[in-house]
Amino acid sequence: MQTLPKEVEQLFHYLQNGTSAFHVIAHTKQVLTEAGFTELHIKDNWTLTKGGRYFCSPFDTTLYAFTIGESCDLSNGIHIAGAHTDFPAIKIKPNPEIFSHGYMQLNTEVYGGPILNTFFDRPLSLAGKVVTKGDRYDRPVSHLVDLKRPAVYLPNLAIHMNRAINENGAPIDNQKHLLPILGTLNEYLNKDTTFMDLLAKEIGVDAKDILDYDLCMYNLDQPELVGFTEEFISAPRLDDITSVCALIHGLVESKNADRVNLVCLFDNEEIGSLSKQGADSTLPSVIIGKIWQAFGKNQIDCMSDISDGLMLSVDVAHAYHPNYPGTQDITNYPIMNGGFILKTASNQSYTWDCESMASLIALCQQENIPYQRFAKHSNTKGGGTIGSIISSHLPMRTADIGVGLLAMHSSREMMGKDDQISLTHFAKAFFEN
């Protein structure tokens, strides 16, 4: 393998560590702490200084990181960029134990919109959070869990029992076919074994002390360079760790003396963003309000000051697929390694206006950063992002951008290596200019 560019190496570290939304935030905290950012807590009154670099994680799957320019008086507004920490997955239900014909399996449910058949016939592990009793009922203790080994498996049905699978596919019944196998029943796994017992041994607690968990199955594959000249990246969870990585490292490496810069990392984008930790919440306004309040300004001052700002919704886009050319727009079809993508949609599923898009294009031209345009095929509804949601809460010009993927929402996705470089360079330029 060739030597990795810095931006790609940063992405690989994020992908290897970010096996759940909880772990994405944990890795982000490590990056920010090592870069000299100070952690704040949402319940405290904030004492901030010009030139300061801070972050706050109100919930374990969300984080807000911001810098305050040394000459900033807040009237220069703010640059905001948002991304999401969650990804399509298969999650473990409560009381998941299933004992059937000598096997132990787990009951599961689908989170978001994964391409389900890509989770079959590959080693899967489990990651997320387990919560145990604390010293009081309202003070539980959280434990990050990542088994980091092939713990469960979803086998396909043999072609001999489904002869038409290659012609007709294999319809998946979520309640019947997504029950992973842990193993066969034996002295260790038996009908008296509970999933809590297994988790307790992993984190070194008593099973009776476990109160709840939030765990997903994930693809154990490591990120790799692929292609004859290794110009592509193949990895799980590119959606949307590519954006999280670019924004955090872009903010860390940027310098701006005149303005506030803010990165917002949200959860639950894959299921609509309507949650306390999602983009469709009051948290962004609360965080921005606390920053302005720390410098003696009220909420009206804050909304007035930020109205002249600029906001990015950063999420992956659809690259041109050579085997399915009819799925793309006839004039706006970005290709991998052609640069990061500016996305527009007249129905505002990708938020934009001419002024915000013009500002981004001008910045790309000024900094010589490659970019491409994307618009949906007119017969295709397509997906959406956090852009329109968060811009409905904050009175700011907003635009949608991201890197192009193939196999989006597969358990393993594909992108152009150079596109991560261009997105990271653009994030840094966005925060510096």
Side-chain angles (χ1 to χ4, degrees), residues 58 77 112 129 142 144 158 182 199 332 376 381:
K129 180 167 72 171
S142 296
L144 285 188
L182 274 75
L199 291 179
N332 298 280
K376 298 174 183 177
K381 181 180 179 181

Side-chain angles (χ1 to χ4, degrees), residues 224-296:
E224 294 182 284
L225 296 182
V226 301
F228 197 77
T229 55
E230 297 186 333
E231 71 267 38
F232 304 117
I233 298 171
S234 173
R237 302 177 295 280
L238 294 176
D239 177 7
D240 190 29
I241 289 180
T242 52
S243 304
V244 172
C245 178
L247 293 183
I248 290 297
H249 284 285
L251 181 68
V252 165
E253 297 169 15
S254 65
K255 295 180 181 179
N256 186 295
D258 302 321
R259 191 182 58 238
V260 175
N261 286 320
L262 171 66
V263 170
C264 308
L265 303 184
F266 301 105
D267 194 6
N268 299 140
E269 188 275 342
E270 298 293 354
I271 55 171
S273 295
L274 185 57
S275 67
K276 67 184 184 304
Q277 60 267 24
D280 198 4
S281 74
T282 60
L283 264 178
S285 296
V286 170
I287 295 294
I288 297 169
K290 288 177 73 69
I291 297 171
W292 258 247
Q293 185 183 49
F295 291 97

Side-chain angles (χ1 to χ4, degrees), residues 366-404:
Q366 172 185 308
E367 301 294 325
N368 197 29
I369 299 172
Y371 70 93
Q372 304 178 85
R373 300 293 297 268
F374 175 85
K376 298 174 183 177
H377 189 288
S378 296
N379 293 331
T380 303
K381 181 180 179 181
T385 68
I386 63 171
S388 292
I389 294 171
I390 188 172
S391 66
S392 70
H393 296 289
L394 299 174
M396 298 174 61
R397 292 175 297 134
T398 308
D400 260 293
I401 69 172
V403 298

